[in-house]
Amino acid sequence: MSFLHALQPASPPAAGLRRKLVPAALTMPLLMAACGGGNGDASAQQVTPAAACAELSAKAGLAATTLTTSYVAADTKRPGGAATGAFLPGHCVVTGAINPRVGVDGKNYAIGFQLSLPDNWNGRFLFIGGGGNDGILRDTSLSSSISGGTPSPLGQGFAVVSTDAGHTGTTASFGADPQARIDHAYNSYDKTAVAAKSLIATRYGRKPDHSYFSGCSGGGRQGMMFSQRFPDYFDGITAGAPAMRVSSGATVAAMWNTIQFNAIAPQDASGNRILSKAFSNSDLKLVATAVNATCDAADGVVDGLAQNINACKAFDPAVLQCNGSKTDSCLSSAQVEALKRVFAGPRNSAGTTLYTGQPWDAGLAAPGWRSWTLGNSTTATPDARYITLMVDALVNEFFTPPDLSFNPLTFNFDTDPSRMAGYSAIYDTYADDKLTAYQQRGGKLLFIHGMSDPIFSAFDTIDYYERLAANHGGVAAAQGFARAFMVPGMNHCSGGPATDNFDSVQAMVDWVEKGIAPNSIIAKALPTNADFPNRTRPLCAYPKFARYKGSGSVEDASSFVCAAE
């Protein structure tokens, strides 16, 4: 069997024919002290939450799965182990390993998961997505990476699960094993969701009333995968900065951008390029200031945030080109040309676009943008995440078969994308722009994306959303089940000169359970934000944007209204 053939996905079963998530034998209540028992057995009525947690492994009945449990008493731990803030309620932490095996590379594999079950369950289930190459269990006492403004869902009474996606370790070396690649693409999330819902039924005696998924980056891709392959698993899915074309488009763009920036970077004494020095921080600040000079006022007020994202499309970095020698107040012609090529997006020799370009947005001067594109290394050994993360994924996982000796600076934009097509077929989620089954079962979908995301372009999410809307009768009709929110200034999932702190989990809960569709989500900049601490803004459902009313504090969301052009 060829490597590519081994990766071909099995056709997902129709929604109505999928196996039930909770076997009937597992739906009997687990007796607790507060449950009474009704059978006169006093000992059964005295089972404590800690004892119920300890018994869960024996009662679960999950095939090919090992479980360990630990009980965390109320008021002994804070979310993420923080030193201050509210304590968590009592809860059971279940750590599981599904289908342990030895891979073709001789390494041990299993689909790991962590599930936290609060003593006082609110009937809700939340799956928090991963990111990067995965390989770790996300702390289920925390919130999703795209919902930094959400108080701990576990603390609110949610049952919360995360998965390592079928391998251990944050490198992409698991790509040598075909099953591990399939697990990372979709299988581990399916298996984790099924196991988590079964354990919930065992612990509480019933299925969740409502199930939610929330993730960013790779987690956003995972959410989209659920909406397509397993549309009956979740009532609401939040896909932040969804990596919908990561193994066929965004990684191509990362190689393109690296080549453009490296070509203009200064050389060390040995003639090697120092990528981080292609642009200084002051150079990037020049660009950010010029971008805002072009489009900031288009939302009704000059405040450092360009809310009307369409107005920024008119920016041309040529306005910053030096008339003579390079100085601190202008850019060299090489820098201007590199920016034009990067923000236009990668193309092959025939001029065919291989991935959408990047939006012009002032967040490009923020540390989060530099960490992906240029890095901070002062030597010719780059530390940009395009190199440390994306090349790792490319050579180990996205190429079929893997090619560990590949030099990213020699990426061939005519031939190398075809080497990524096989894995893209099972990993990427951009092609299904109908989501018919998910929409018909009443599922809700939120997209959230930072306008200065340097790896997954907000334009790609907008393009997908517009295609999705066109297939459902236009934006107004599609907003019945899917809405998109762009965050000016925000880098990848968070950070930047942005109001990047918001509670998208509660917005989704209100939509699913109360029928309150989010026309806007109130967001704030944290007190530590260097650009505008404590500022608040409404994030508006695309295509609307936050427009200043003409009066009131520009630091307050109440001074803005969601408006169309």
Side-chain angles (χ1 to χ4, degrees):
M1 179 182 296
S2 71
F3 202 104
L4 179 58
H5 182 74
L7 292 176
Q8 295 307 305
S11 298
L17 298 179
R18 289 195 182 90
R19 63 186 180 281
K20 294 185 180 299
L21 298 186
V22 183
L26 300 180
T27 59
M28 295 299 293
L30 185 65
L31 294 174
M32 296 181 293
C35 293
N39 59 5
D41 185 345
S43 63
Q45 297 177 20
Q46 295 174 1
V47 175
T48 65
C53 180
E55 296 171 0
L56 195 56
S57 295
K59 293 177 178 289
L62 294 174
T65 301
T66 60
L67 299 173
T68 59
T69 61
S70 62
Y71 184 73
V72 179
D75 301 327
T76 61
K77 178 185 175 183
R78 295 182 175 91
T84 59
F87 281 100
L88 291 165
H91 61 280
C92 179
V93 180
V94 184
T95 304
I98 303 170
N99 296 335
R101 61 185 179 83
V102 177
V104 299
D105 55 359
K107 297 179 181 178
N108 292 320
Y109 290 96
I111 297 170
F113 67 88
Q114 180 184 100
L115 172 66
S116 286
L117 301 164
D119 296 346
N120 297 313
W121 183 43
N122 63 13
R124 299 184 180 112
F125 167 52
L126 175 66
F127 193 134
I128 55 174
N133 292 317
D134 292 294
I136 61 172
L137 295 176
R138 304 277 167 165
D139 187 339
T140 47
S141 71
L142 297 173
S143 188
S144 160
S145 55
I146 197 63
S147 295
T150 301
S152 168
L154 174 62
Q156 296 182 57
F158 286 72
V160 185
V161 76
S162 69
T163 180
D164 62 11
H167 60 272
T168 301
T170 58
T171 72
S173 60
F174 65 88
D177 181 72
Q179 182 60 47
R181 286 155 65 100
I182 292 172
D183 286 345
H184 194 221
Y186 64 89
N187 186 55
S188 63
Y189 314 108
D190 169 26
K191 296 297 189 291
T192 296
V194 171
K197 288 192 176 187
S198 179
L199 287 163
I200 286 170
T202 301
R203 175 63 179 84
Y204 302 115
R206 61 188 177 95
K207 301 176 183 180
D209 300 322
H210 298 285
S211 297
Y212 300 95
F213 182 95
S214 182
C216 191
S217 189
R221 182 200 69 84
Q222 294 155 18
M224 292 306 298
M225 178 276 304
F226 272 118
S227 74
Q228 297 167 5
R229 286 183 176 269
F230 311 103
D232 54 348
Y233 281 20
F234 294 98
D235 303 299
I237 293 172
T238 300
M244 289 190 283
R245 295 183 60 196
V246 59
S247 68
S248 61
T251 304
V252 175
M255 301 305 101
W256 172 270
N257 297 352
T258 298
I259 290 170
Q260 311 309 317
F261 289 147
N262 191 74
I264 67 165
Q267 297 172 298
D268 64 13
S270 299
N272 300 308
R273 302 283 183 179
I274 306 175
L275 178 63
S276 70
K277 294 186 178 182
F279 289 85
S280 67
N281 288 336
S282 60
D283 289 336
L284 296 178
K285 185 64 177 177
L286 277 177
V287 181
T289 300
V291 168
N292 274 345
T294 298
C295 55
D296 188 359
D299 57 19
V301 64
V302 175
D303 60 353
L305 272 178
Q307 304 281 355
N308 185 350
I309 60 177
N310 286 329
C312 293
K313 293 178 180 178
F315 177 72
D316 184 347
V319 299
L320 294 170
Q321 187 165 322
C322 303
N323 290 325
S325 300
K326 169 76 173 77
T327 69
D328 290 341
S329 60
C330 62
L331 300 179
S332 70
S333 59
Q335 287 178 313
V336 168
E337 183 59 27
L339 286 174
K340 286 183 176 181
R341 291 171 66 84
V342 163
F343 279 77
R347 287 169 169 75
N348 62 22
S349 61
T352 303
T353 298
L354 302 177
Y355 186 67
T356 184
Q358 297 284 341
W360 291 108
D361 181 274
L364 62 84
W369 194 88
R370 169 176 282 279
S371 70
W372 279 93
T373 58
L374 301 168
N376 294 285
S377 172
T378 58
T379 73
T381 301
D383 62 355
R385 300 200 78 192
Y386 282 170
I387 301 294
T388 60
L389 178 62
M390 302 313 298
V391 171
D392 181 28
L394 173 67
V395 302
N396 281 285
E397 186 179 18
F398 298 162
F399 276 160
T400 302
D403 182 358
L404 275 60
S405 64
F406 185 75
N407 178 358
L409 296 179
T410 65
F411 191 95
N412 187 312
F413 297 93
D414 290 332
T415 60
D416 283 331
S418 64
R419 302 168 67 188
M420 306 161 76
Y423 195 56
S424 174
I426 67 168
Y427 195 80
D428 286 342
T429 60
Y430 69 92
D432 181 355
D433 53 13
K434 295 182 175 61
L435 306 184
T436 302
Y438 187 69
Q439 186 268 340
Q440 289 180 346
R441 60 91 64 191
K444 308 300 183 187
L445 178 62
L446 287 181
F447 294 103
I448 302 175
H449 210 135
M451 292 304 296
S452 270
D453 189 322
I455 180 61
F456 304 120
S457 173
F459 282 163
D460 193 52
T461 295
I462 290 172
D463 172 73
Y464 178 87
Y465 184 72
E466 290 180 342
R467 287 188 284 125
L468 180 69
N471 285 323
H472 289 274
V475 170
Q479 284 187 334
F481 86 101
R483 299 192 173 210
F485 294 83
M486 300 297 113
V487 189
M490 191 170 83
N491 294 152
H492 185 55
C493 298
S494 65
T499 51
D500 62 341
N501 192 261
F502 41 84
D503 190 349
S504 61
V505 170
Q506 188 60 50
M508 180 60 83
V509 167
D510 288 344
W511 194 6
V512 168
E513 299 180 23
K514 301 177 182 178
I516 303 173
N519 294 314
S520 65
I521 300 173
I522 298 301
K524 66 180 180 180
L526 293 175
T528 53
N529 187 294
D531 297 280
F532 15 72
N534 299 311
R535 173 179 286 185
T536 59
R537 282 288 183 276
L539 304 178
C540 299
Y542 179 85
K544 292 185 176 180
F545 62 92
R547 183 190 294 277
Y548 184 56
K549 293 179 179 178
S551 62
S553 170
V554 297
E555 304 304 319
D556 195 330
S558 64
S559 302
F560 291 78
V561 62
C562 291
E565 286 190 286

